[in-house]
């Protein structure tokens, strides 16, 4: 029986989705299409969220032990920020949506997604620029809003017109490289969360690397929405722990 010791060896006592994920990580392979049905995708998200929690417990526990034996943790950007409602919404919802588009929107290898991802990223950057002061003049935001609208419409057109195309063959052949580059880049970007950056800080972004491996798997097997959902759950748990820690210490 699956998950039980056998005479031939020891089957990993874990949910099937965990075993499937471990097998995928050992040998990443891109399917032609993701199974985007809500029920199986949601079930996979919940099971991998449990695995994510287990990873975080081990990694954060290891960091706590390192602090106890004298490791000096660098300052984190959240240490200097007041967690207002807009900032929490940005971390829990805005960041997962933007980061999943940028780091994994294209990971399906399908032509529509390969074209739409950079267009959506341009639209997002333009919207962020329009929301910030532009040269001290509020009317300067209008050109950026136009850029955002045009880029978004072009992305929608690419997704619609190329919706029946499967992943391109060259992307499928080299998918393992794209998968690992996406995960490592995602983790490396989070080094900017710390006041000090450098090779010695790499262990501090191991949680982000493990999360990226879960998110990349979900993206290609159940669609981008499932990766966004797990990312939201992860960030929501993280912020909840930060809020609980700050309230407990006050």
């Amino acid at each position: 029986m699956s998950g039980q010791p056998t005479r031939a060896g020891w089957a990993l006592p874990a949910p099937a989705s965990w075993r499937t994920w471990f097998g995928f990580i050992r040998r990443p392979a891109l399917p032609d299409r993701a199974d985007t049905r809500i029920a199986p995708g949601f079930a996979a998200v919940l099971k991998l969220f449990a695995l994510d929690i287990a990873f975080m417990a081990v990694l954060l526990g290891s960091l706590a032990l390192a602090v106890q034996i004298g490791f000096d943790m660098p300052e984190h950007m959240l240490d200097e920020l007041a967690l207002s409602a807009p900032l929490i919404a940005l971390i829990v919802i805005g960041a997962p949506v933007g980061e999943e588009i940028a780091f994994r929107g294209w990971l399906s290898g399908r032509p529509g997604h390969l074209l739409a991802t950079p267009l959506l990223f341009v639209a997002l950057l333009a919207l962020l620029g329009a929301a910030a002061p532009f040269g001290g003049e509020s009317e300067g935001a209008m050109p950026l809003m136009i850029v955002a609208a045009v880029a978004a419409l072009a992305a929608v057109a690419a997704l619609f017109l190329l919706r029946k195309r499967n992943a391109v063959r060259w992307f499928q052949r080299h998918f393992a490289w794209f998968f690992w580059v996406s995960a490592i880049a995602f983790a490396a970007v989070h080094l900017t969360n710390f006041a000090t950056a450098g090779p010695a800080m790499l262990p501090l972004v191991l949680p982000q690397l493990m999360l990226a491996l879960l998110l990349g798997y979900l993206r290609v097997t159940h669609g981008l929405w499932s990766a966004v959902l797990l990312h939201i759950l992860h960030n929501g748990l993280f912020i909840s722990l930060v809020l609980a820690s700050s309230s407990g210490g006050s």
Side-chain angles (χ1 to χ4, degrees):
M1 183 180 296
S2 177
Q4 300 296 328
T6 65
R7 292 181 181 179
W10 185 273
L12 183 66
S17 58
W18 292 18
R19 296 196 299 272
T20 303
W21 176 79
F22 279 112
F24 177 88
I25 294 303
R26 287 196 298 269
R27 199 168 187 175
L30 178 65
D32 286 334
R33 294 269 176 164
D35 180 2
T36 57
R37 292 175 298 161
I38 299 298
F42 189 71
V45 168
L46 293 182
K47 291 173 182 177
L48 292 181
F49 183 45
L51 184 58
D52 178 43
I53 292 174
F55 283 145
M56 295 310 104
V58 172
L59 294 171
L60 295 178
S62 299
L63 288 176
L65 178 61
V67 170
Q68 289 296 320
I69 62 177
F71 177 73
D72 188 18
M73 282 285 291
E75 183 179 344
H76 194 280
M77 68 174 184
L78 289 181
D79 296 338
E80 300 296 325
L81 296 176
L83 286 176
S84 61
L87 179 58
I88 291 174
L90 177 63
I91 294 172
V92 175
I93 299 175
V97 171
E99 290 177 345
E100 290 313 303
I101 290 174
F103 288 98
R104 280 164 284 275
W106 51 274
L107 205 53
S108 68
R110 293 171 58 188
H113 297 159
L114 292 173
L115 287 174
T117 296
L119 289 170
L120 288 174
F121 192 60
V122 168
L124 180 62
L125 290 178
L127 284 175
L128 291 175
F134 187 83
E137 299 179 3
S138 59
E139 61 269 17
M142 183 56 65
L144 290 175
M145 293 295 291
I146 294 173
V147 169
V150 171
L153 287 174
V156 171
L159 291 172
F160 178 76
L161 294 174
L162 300 172
R163 65 190 183 281
K164 295 183 180 180
R165 301 283 187 89
N166 287 331
V168 294
R169 292 188 177 182
W170 61 265
F171 196 99
Q172 286 183 316
R173 286 197 302 270
H174 303 290
F175 172 73
W177 287 99
F178 292 118
F179 176 80
W180 281 101
V181 165
S182 170
I184 292 170
F186 177 80
V189 162
H190 285 80
L191 284 172
T192 60
N193 291 345
F194 300 96
T196 303
M201 299 294 106
L202 291 178
L204 298 180
V205 294
L206 280 176
Q208 284 80 12
L209 178 60
M210 299 307 302
L211 175 63
L213 298 178
L214 294 170
L215 295 172
Y217 167 77
L218 280 174
R219 192 273 171 269
V220 299
T221 55
H222 294 287
L224 188 63
W225 72 269
S226 62
V228 171
L229 179 56
L230 177 59
H231 202 155
I232 288 173
L233 292 173
H234 175 94
N235 283 16
L237 176 61
F238 172 73
I239 286 298
S240 298
L241 293 175
V242 171
L243 291 173
S245 176
S246 61
S247 62
S250 60

